[in-house]
Amino acid sequence: MTVYSVYEPEGDGADLEARADRIAFVKDGFNWPALLVPVLWLIYRRMWLELIVFLVVIGALPFVFGPSEAGGELAGLVTIGLTLLFAFEANDLRGWALQRRGYRFAGVASGRNRMEAERSFFTAWLPEQGRGTRHHFPLPVTRSAKGAALTPTRPSGGDEVIGSFPRA
């Protein structure tokens, strides 16, 4: 099961579809591209502040440990350790960068893959947009014949999804 933090852009855009297209899903956990090519990953994600800090820290290590051969080896080991630490924290840094750009935390979605996580999130998120509340994501419910008892339901076989949006 993969867990995603979901970030929604601030503002009440009139077009629901345009708002939904701008929602960001950030996977929790280790980030392989951030380990293998951290500078390119930061550039691709447009995380400029984090890129500058990363380059300054990595660039300063040879000066901190000195020009000797032992200092160079130690600087190399610390660089590997910091890059590994960065890969563990990269997705959290991405969430922080999104919040700095005006996104707000909208919830958590999970699924076997990203498509399933998006489906579960949008299944709960879309009905809430008509009511004006944004931070509460209840399960769909059905009423008994007398209208008294509420029971959670799961989507039936006829509830299809087109792209990321459930069919209304």
Side-chain angles (χ1 to χ4, degrees):
M1 184 74 53
T2 306
V3 178
Y4 294 87
S5 297
V6 183
Y7 295 90
E8 179 180 5
E10 287 285 342
D12 297 322
D15 187 14
L16 184 62
E17 187 174 341
R19 279 185 38 228
D21 283 340
R22 294 187 57 213
I23 288 179
F25 287 80
V26 179
K27 181 182 157 203
D28 289 344
F30 191 79
N31 191 314
W32 283 100
L35 174 69
L36 302 175
V37 285
V39 172
L40 293 177
W41 184 82
L42 286 165
I43 291 170
Y44 177 75
R45 295 293 178 191
R46 300 180 66 187
M47 297 170 60
W48 308 120
L49 179 62
E50 292 83 357
L51 175 64
I52 291 168
V53 170
F54 183 82
L55 291 175
V56 166
V57 169
I58 297 298
L61 289 178
F63 297 107
V64 170
F65 292 107
S68 67
E69 185 175 326
E73 289 178 12
L74 189 55
L77 290 173
V78 171
T79 300
I80 290 171
L82 286 176
T83 305
L84 186 62
L85 177 65
F86 174 73
F88 276 107
E89 296 299 324
N91 290 328
D92 291 334
L93 287 172
R94 182 170 175 226
W96 179 63
L98 286 168
Q99 287 179 335
R100 211 176 54 239
R101 284 187 217 140
Y103 283 68
R104 67 174 168 247
F105 181 74
V108 176
S110 61
R112 285 180 283 172
N113 53 34
R114 181 176 170 144
M115 185 181 302
E116 188 175 296
E118 286 180 358
R119 178 179 184 209
S120 70
F121 175 78
F122 284 118
T123 299
W125 183 79
L126 283 172
E128 290 297 319
Q129 299 313 300
R131 289 187 223 141
T133 58
R134 294 177 184 230
H135 299 291
H136 184 268
F137 302 108
L139 287 172
V141 294
T142 58
R143 294 191 181 270
S144 66
K146 296 179 183 177
L150 296 174
T151 56
T153 61
R154 297 282 178 215
S156 63
D159 294 334
E160 298 178 33
V161 172
I162 301 172
S164 297
F165 299 98
R167 183 178 287 172

